[in-house]
Amino acid sequence: MNSSSKGLEWKEWLQGWLRLTYETLFQKIHAKHLQDPLPLPPLNGLNCIVTGATSGIGLEIAKQLAESGAHLVMAVRNTNLAHQLIEKWQRNETVSRPLSIDVIELDLFYLESVVKFAQEWNLRSKPLHILINNAGIYSIGQPQKFTKDGYETHIQVNHLAPALLSLLLLPSLKRGSPSRIINMNSLMHVIGVVDPQDMNFLTKKNKFTSRKAYSSSKLAQLKFSSILQKFLINTNIHVMCVEPGAVRTNVTRDLPRILNVLYQKMFFFMFDAQQGSRSALFAATDAEILDYCGVLKAEGCNGCAFIGCHCRISEPSKQVDNERTSFEIWNKTMEMVGLPARCVDMILQGEEIHCRYGAINDR
């Protein structure tokens, strides 16, 4: 059996759950050195795209970036809500200047929507300095569902769609370099297992549960990001994954109402959305983190920077160190999103590429 499709050994499984429990229970202590909200430097002239920017962590990230002077693009499903939020932010008396914000529709449940978003942004021929792939789902306790593209919803929304978006925006990120791709990950990846031959959870040995699908999608994202970082070794584009901590957001929106209320009330040790936004904002704005990313590239490390909820470098699952299985995830991801495996070089060299979900160009 391929090692990438095996389950965790019992020791790895136990260690993963112990780490997850420990870091969740003590996250507020570990992050007590952080200010709330996290102070940001002036971001005048920087173009930033944030997915899922109308609620939860994404809303806090978007608001703080815009208030710090960045030109913000809210990549969202509900464009009407985005415009309402912008009006609310503009009326805020503490905002000393007009905010620079655009709204572009993006629905990660449809890969065609990802391509259309990239086309619309790329047609502007603007540099992109910061891409924050924040949007995600965790349908706790829900039955298995598939998108119209034919993929299990967690793997598409949390991994495939952000991966496709990052790749299609590489020309713009190259123009904005030094630039950053920041993926909102989760510590739950430490209990994840990814089978590149069954990412849809269709076989009996890989039976679906929402917990398994979510944790696996986050592990797939980390392993994919580690390979993307390798392909970007000769560029000034840096890939980072961040862990926001256990956060009270609407990620549990699919729970029955009474369970959702209990979830929000019981876990007093959880972060609020503003606290959960700090690791992504740190990754987006800290100057020294780019030096660390450069060191990882220079040393040929297996993995990209992984930043914990305390805004410090953290260690991801040891599964990320397995370069062979990470390449298997990379190749399968490219197959699923309809791109050639060497598309990064092709895109950066300005070659024309084709995706089954729509024509791709940078003009």
Side-chain angles (χ1 to χ4, degrees):
M1 181 184 295
N2 191 307
S3 62
S4 64
S5 62
K6 290 182 180 179
L8 291 173
E9 299 290 341
W10 73 268
K11 288 184 179 179
E12 295 173 317
W13 180 87
L14 180 60
Q15 288 171 349
W17 276 106
L18 287 175
R19 178 181 175 185
L20 185 61
T21 302
Y22 172 79
E23 295 203 19
T24 299
L25 290 173
F26 294 98
Q27 63 180 12
K28 288 188 175 180
I29 295 175
H30 295 158
K32 65 180 180 181
H33 63 285
L34 297 175
Q35 296 184 52
D36 189 22
L38 189 75
L40 301 184
L43 301 176
N44 301 333
L46 296 186
N47 293 318
C48 306
I49 294 176
V50 181
T51 68
T54 54
S55 65
I57 296 172
L59 185 153
E60 293 295 335
I61 292 171
K63 181 173 181 288
Q64 292 181 60
L65 289 175
E67 290 178 349
S68 296
H71 173 68
L72 171 69
V73 177
M74 301 176 72
V76 298
R77 285 195 291 174
N78 190 337
T79 56
N80 289 332
L81 177 57
H83 286 293
Q84 293 172 16
L85 287 170
I86 294 170
E87 292 179 5
K88 178 181 177 181
W89 296 344
Q90 295 281 20
R91 292 196 301 267
N92 189 338
E93 295 180 357
T94 62
V95 177
S96 58
R97 56 190 167 190
L99 302 180
S100 177
I101 307 176
D102 285 335
V103 177
I104 304 179
E105 184 177 1
L106 174 65
D107 189 341
L108 301 184
F109 283 91
Y110 300 88
L111 295 178
E112 181 181 3
S113 176
V114 176
V115 175
K116 288 182 177 178
F117 176 93
Q119 288 174 331
E120 182 169 347
W121 172 257
N122 286 335
L123 283 172
R124 303 182 185 189
S125 297
K126 292 183 178 181
L128 176 59
H129 304 95
I130 301 169
L131 168 63
I132 301 181
N133 288 310
N134 161 78
I137 61 168
Y138 184 7
S139 301
I140 299 177
Q142 296 296 302
Q144 188 174 19
K145 297 178 182 178
F146 296 90
T147 67
K148 289 190 175 180
D149 298 311
Y151 301 129
E152 192 277 322
T153 53
H154 292 88
I155 200 68
Q156 174 158 330
V157 174
N158 297 344
H159 169 54
L160 296 177
L164 179 60
L165 181 64
S166 299
L167 293 169
L168 299 186
L169 294 180
L170 284 178
S172 184
L173 287 159
K174 183 179 179 181
R175 284 193 292 269
S177 59
S179 53
R180 318 179 193 210
I181 299 172
I182 299 162
N183 295 316
M184 187 65 72
N185 204 259
S186 168
L187 192 58
M188 282 189 67
H189 81 270
V190 300
I191 56 171
V193 177
V194 186
D195 181 353
Q197 303 308 316
D198 186 24
M199 293 174 76
N200 271 338
F201 299 92
L202 297 177
T203 61
K204 291 182 179 180
K205 69 179 179 64
N206 196 26
K207 187 176 180 181
F208 172 87
T209 68
S210 57
R211 188 270 307 161
K212 183 188 292 185
Y214 178 77
S215 59
S216 297
S217 70
K218 293 302 183 179
L219 179 60
Q221 182 185 66
L222 260 170
K223 291 175 77 67
F224 178 91
S225 297
S226 71
I227 302 303
L228 178 57
Q229 179 85 333
K230 286 182 177 294
F231 280 120
L232 296 174
I233 191 169
N234 294 319
T235 73
N236 212 358
I237 304 171
H238 303 285
V239 184
M240 293 170 257
C241 289
V242 301
E243 192 268 307
V247 182
R248 300 187 301 270
T249 71
N250 66 350
V251 73
T252 58
R253 57 186 172 270
D254 292 324
L255 283 174
R257 179 176 177 82
I258 187 169
L259 292 180
N260 210 331
V261 171
L262 288 173
Y263 181 89
Q264 301 292 335
K265 298 294 184 182
M266 288 175 60
F267 296 99
F268 62 91
F269 50 83
M270 299 173 75
F271 288 154
D272 60 29
Q274 183 170 270
Q275 293 167 328
S277 72
R278 293 180 298 197
S279 57
L281 290 169
F282 172 81
T285 61
D286 184 75
E288 294 181 359
I289 196 65
L290 293 186
D291 295 333
Y292 176 74
C293 291
V295 170
L296 291 180
K297 284 184 177 181
E299 295 181 351
C301 296
N302 291 329
C304 63
F306 183 70
I307 300 168
C309 64
H310 41 48
C311 296
R312 291 171 176 158
I313 299 300
S314 186
E315 290 293 327
S317 166
K318 291 182 179 179
Q319 295 186 74
V320 179
D321 294 333
N322 191 323
E323 185 175 351
R324 181 179 61 81
T325 58
S326 293
F327 265 109
E328 290 177 357
I329 298 300
W330 172 274
N331 290 331
K332 188 62 178 180
T333 299
M334 293 295 99
E335 177 187 327
M336 294 171 80
V337 301
L339 289 174
R342 58 175 294 267
C343 71
V344 173
D345 290 338
M346 297 171 67
I347 292 172
L348 292 177
Q349 292 169 12
E351 296 182 30
E352 183 179 359
I353 62 171
H354 300 276
C355 171
R356 75 171 67 103
Y357 299 101
I360 299 169
N361 60 67
D362 185 39
R363 296 174 177 83

